């Protein structure tokens, strides 16, 4: 995997290699952020190829190599990344015989077209989410999502003050990125370890999280610990909503696909403060990166199509898939 990553990184110009590192090293979180960065890589490859008068087929091959790398790595956790890449690069081969200026323009326009489409969809998600919770005062957000981040900025414009409960996900430190946006938006903040979820959730009016991906049956996937949030919300009868554009749909489950469990090696993260590093030997530090929240623990999905009850998400999902013409 390291060799594959390095070979793909070397396909990129130096100005975007740091962006590659940001995704691979989890310096930047959030599927939407990663999709935007991958779009920047696609444009960089196209423009660099044009500048160096490369063959169009060579440009397309580089884009496809980078795309396939992220589909097989980042896309294993987030179907949104795979879906977005497929839409940004769909039918690139049709540009192979065009003049390089025209081909590069078409490649960049296709990428920009998707990003603009997703931007509009995300704004609709935030509008619907704002309507759903604007009169609630205590809101829990679990693990970083760029969509939820934008939502927290938006409700800062409302007249009332909110208290945002942020449990720190110890898998990827996904709570910390919310602190800055909450401070800037004027929210009150409660920040606590995720082990205290059950204690603090009972004080909340609603729990929100983004989706790495979701199935048409209403299963939502997010960072490990999300399943516990679902269980506790069900126990206290607190509504749990996933804020997600429909692009994060994983349609494959209706054909029998079983999601591959992505496992992280957490030795360095969990043992960095151990005074005796010799204790590390012969210990298994592996843990899943994300898990599914079962439909019975989810109240609904807030999408660009509206606030969809979990028992209606199948119909919405299938209609969306048909709308895209099977491109994902």
């Amino acid at each position: 995997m390291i060799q594959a990553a390095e070979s793909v990184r070397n396909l990129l110009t130096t100005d975007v290699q740091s962006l590659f590192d940001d995704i691979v090293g989890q310096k930047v979180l959030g599927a939407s952020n990663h999709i935007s960065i991958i779009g920047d890589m696609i444009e960089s490859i196209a423009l660099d190829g044009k500048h160096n008068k490369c063959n169009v087929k060579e440009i397309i091959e580089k884009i496809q190599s980078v795309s396939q790398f992220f589909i097989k790595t980042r896309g294993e956790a987030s179907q949104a990344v795979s879906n977005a890449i497929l839409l940004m690069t769909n039918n690139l081969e049709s540009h192979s015989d065009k003049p390089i200026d025209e081909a590069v323009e078409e490649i960049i326009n296709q990428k920009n077209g998707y990003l603009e489409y997703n931007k509009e969809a995300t704004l609709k998600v935030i509008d619907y989410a704002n309507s759903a919770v604007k009169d609630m005062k205590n809101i829990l957000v679990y693990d970083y999502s760029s969509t939820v981040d934008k939502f927290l900025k938006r409700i800062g414009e409302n007249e009332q003050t909110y208290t945002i409960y942020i449990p720190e996900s110890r898998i990827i430190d996904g709570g910390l990125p919310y602190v800055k946006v909450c401070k800037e938006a004027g929210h009150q903040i409660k920040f606590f370890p995720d082990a205290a979820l059950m204690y603090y959730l009972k004080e909340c009016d609603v729990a929100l999280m983004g989706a790495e991906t979701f199935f048409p049956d209403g299963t939502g996937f997010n960072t490990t610990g999300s399943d516990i949030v679902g269980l506790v919300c069900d126990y206290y009868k607190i509504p749990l909503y996933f804020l997600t554009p429909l692009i994060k749909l994983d349609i494959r489950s209706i054909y029998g696909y079983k999601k591959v469990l992505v496992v992280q090696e957490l030795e360095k993260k969990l043992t960095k403060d151990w005074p005796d590093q010799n204790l590390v030997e012969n210990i298994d530090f592996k843990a899943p990166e994300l898990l599914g929240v079962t439909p019975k623990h989810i109240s609904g999905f807030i999408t660009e199509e509206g606030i969809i009850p979990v028992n209606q998400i199948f119909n919405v999902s299938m209609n969306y898939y048909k709308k895209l013409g099977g491109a994902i």
Side-chain angles (χ1 to χ4, degrees):
M1 179 60 70
I2 294 174
Q3 289 181 337
E6 188 64 26
S7 63
V8 172
R9 186 181 187 274
N10 289 336
L11 296 175
L12 302 168
T13 57
T14 55
D15 60 316
V16 292
Q17 285 181 345
S18 61
L19 299 179
F20 179 92
D21 297 337
D22 286 344
I23 296 178
V24 174
Q26 292 188 332
K27 296 176 184 176
V28 173
L29 302 178
S32 295
N33 288 333
H34 291 176
I35 290 165
S36 179
I37 289 172
I38 294 166
D40 290 339
M41 294 179 192
I42 291 171
E43 181 166 339
S44 175
I45 292 170
L47 291 176
D48 182 64
K50 177 181 175 181
H51 176 75
N52 292 308
K53 297 181 172 57
C54 294
N55 185 285
V56 174
K57 290 182 180 179
E58 181 183 343
I59 294 172
I60 291 171
E61 286 174 1
K62 284 186 177 182
I63 292 173
Q64 289 174 331
S65 294
V66 173
S67 297
Q68 285 303 309
F69 172 80
F70 283 113
I71 286 174
K72 291 177 181 178
T73 54
R74 186 66 180 88
E76 282 296 329
S78 175
Q79 188 61 26
V81 173
S82 294
N83 289 348
I85 291 172
L86 291 172
L87 290 172
M88 288 191 288
T89 62
N90 188 35
N91 203 26
L92 280 187
E93 295 82 359
S94 65
H95 306 308
S96 296
D97 297 324
K98 295 177 181 177
I100 190 166
D101 287 359
E102 181 182 345
V104 167
E105 182 179 5
E106 292 287 344
I107 290 168
I108 293 174
N109 284 344
Q110 181 171 327
K111 179 267 298 185
N112 288 341
Y114 165 75
L115 292 177
E116 185 59 34
Y117 164 82
N118 190 58
K119 179 181 177 181
E120 293 177 2
T122 302
L123 289 174
K124 290 179 181 178
V125 171
I126 294 166
D127 283 342
Y128 284 119
N130 182 53
S131 297
V133 306
K134 67 179 181 180
D135 294 326
M136 299 178 181
K137 294 182 178 179
N138 300 320
I139 301 172
L140 182 135
V141 293
Y142 185 75
D143 196 57
Y144 185 77
S145 156
S146 56
T147 303
V148 176
D149 185 291
K150 294 179 178 69
F151 160 79
L152 291 171
K153 291 178 183 175
R154 171 64 183 277
I155 63 172
E157 300 170 4
N158 296 341
E159 293 183 359
Q160 75 173 46
T161 299
Y162 298 90
T163 299
I164 308 301
Y165 288 66
I166 307 174
E168 182 54 277
S169 164
R170 288 171 290 178
I171 294 294
I172 57 173
D173 296 334
L176 178 58
Y178 283 136
V179 173
K180 182 179 178 182
V181 66
C182 285
K183 280 185 170 289
E184 291 175 348
H187 302 314
Q188 301 295 317
I189 302 170
K190 282 185 177 288
F191 193 91
F192 51 91
D194 51 8
L197 269 166
M198 194 157 192
Y199 180 82
Y200 282 111
L201 248 174
K202 62 179 179 289
E203 300 177 6
C204 297
D205 302 309
V206 67
L208 306 173
M209 63 178 71
E212 286 290 341
T213 188
F214 70 93
F215 285 166
D217 71 352
T219 302
F221 291 86
N222 195 28
T223 299
T224 295
S226 301
D227 51 344
I228 299 173
V229 176
L231 282 166
V232 180
C233 283
D234 183 59
Y235 182 83
Y236 287 128
K237 304 308 176 189
I238 295 166
L240 168 62
Y241 289 100
F242 276 74
L243 276 61
T244 176
L246 290 169
I247 190 63
K248 297 190 177 184
L249 168 69
D250 190 343
I251 198 69
R252 297 173 297 172
S253 64
I254 68 171
Y255 303 112
Y257 167 80
K258 301 296 183 183
K259 191 165 183 61
V260 177
L261 188 67
V262 178
V263 176
Q264 282 191 327
E265 173 56 70
L266 297 176
E267 178 183 319
K268 290 183 179 179
K269 181 179 180 62
L270 295 178
T271 66
K272 62 183 179 180
D273 296 324
W274 285 20
D276 184 358
Q277 287 297 311
N278 291 323
L279 295 174
V280 170
E281 294 181 9
N282 300 319
I283 297 177
D284 186 341
F285 291 98
K286 295 181 177 67
E289 182 177 333
L290 73 160
L291 295 170
V293 183
T294 61
K296 67 179 182 179
H297 296 152
I298 301 172
S299 300
F301 290 80
I302 303 180
T303 77
E304 65 266 38
E305 296 293 332
I307 304 170
I308 314 298
V310 71
N311 62 2
Q312 293 298 316
I313 196 64
F314 182 86
N315 294 330
V316 173
S317 298
M318 297 311 297
N319 288 336
Y320 178 73
Y321 182 63
K322 292 174 183 176
K323 177 181 174 183
L324 293 182
I328 61 174

